[in-house]
Amino acid sequence: MMILKTTIVPDGTTRPGTGILLPRRIIITGASGALGGTLARIRAAPDTALLLWGRDERRLALTAAACRSAGADVQTLSIDLSDIAAMLAAIAAADTEAPIDEALLVAGQGDTAAPGARAEDALQVARLGIVNFAAPAALAAALADRMVARGQGRIVLIGSAAGFHALPFAPAYAGSKAGLARFADALRLAVAGQGVQVTLVSPGFIDWPGGGRQIPRALLMPLPQAARLVLAAADAGRAHAIFPWPFAVLRLVDRLLPRWLSDRLLLALKPQ
């Protein structure tokens, strides 16, 4: 693929007179999952090359087929992001083959402490720390370094509204997403003014077929809408987006409450 001098604007096109980019090259991790697969389908277009990473080969193949039918050039990779060395080797190879313009780092796992457990399983804590924080942070760092050298690029990290609350029934999940949120903010500042955009998106509860979530409707967002909001935040160059809106309010309330009251409310959420 040949890339001439190009300036990318938020909608992914080029400014007249600055060059040509054919096709736009996007990597999506977690593309075999609900949100990652939906983002891939939305981004799929004839002028786009998609690098789709996921663990579930069957679902990854289905997503790839849908994206190809939309005219996108698609490459897939079945990879376990907990293997950090293999992951970094793969991203280096992919970006060396042709520069990546946008990274949607969606892959992650959610889990809670076992019912009746005094503390979360230690191995589960380690696994979520790697998959939800270490892996996406390392990918973002590797890509940011290369994008800064080119003077352009976009990185989108999918966090969680849970990262802003000390959830006693999911400490590893909340903690890993909290770490990712702080990392995203720090990376955004580190590359400021160098042509690289970093966006953190912190969704609340997302509804998808088969999700089986018993969540109040006001706190549950349909999958297509959530995917569109992720991309809208990226395309607008926002530093951070939280949705649905009640979670933004909850974050503000949690920051304003005295610790004793916040602790009491959070403990009331813990399953007995």
Side-chain angles (χ1 to χ4, degrees), residues 5 11 14 30 32 37 42 85 89 94 99 112 129 135 137 151 156 166 170 179 186 193 224 228 240 242:
K5 182 180 179 182
D11 65 359
T14 60
S32 61
I42 295 174
T112 61
V156 180
R228 287 193 296 269
H240 188 202
I242 306 175

Side-chain angles (χ1 to χ4, degrees), residues 33-186:
L35 181 57
T38 302
L39 292 170
R41 287 171 168 84
I42 295 174
R43 278 294 195 236
D47 64 344
T48 301
L50 295 175
L51 309 178
L52 304 182
W53 288 12
R55 291 189 305 155
D56 189 312
E57 293 186 19
R58 184 187 66 82
R59 289 190 295 183
L60 191 62
L62 291 174
T63 298
C67 293
R68 290 188 181 105
S69 69
D73 176 65
V74 181
Q75 297 178 27
T76 63
L77 178 65
S78 180
I79 186 170
D80 182 354
L81 297 186
S82 64
D83 187 341
I84 301 293
M87 176 194 74
L88 292 178
I91 198 64
D95 192 71
T96 298
E97 177 186 355
I100 292 169
D101 304 299
E102 179 179 68
L104 302 175
L105 305 182
V106 184
Q109 295 179 12
D111 222 328
T112 61
R118 292 182 179 272
E120 199 167 3
D121 179 76
L123 289 177
Q124 178 170 294
V125 172
R127 172 172 56 84
L128 294 184
I130 292 171
V131 175
N132 290 345
F133 171 70
L139 272 177
L143 284 168
D145 186 54
R146 289 168 168 264
M147 289 175 173
V148 165
R150 296 193 287 269
Q152 64 180 33
R154 175 190 291 170
I155 298 169
V156 180
L157 290 151
I158 303 299
S160 171
F164 305 109
H165 307 283
L167 301 180
F169 55 88
Y173 181 74
S176 62
K177 291 297 187 178
L180 188 65
R182 182 56 59 91
F183 173 85
D185 212 28

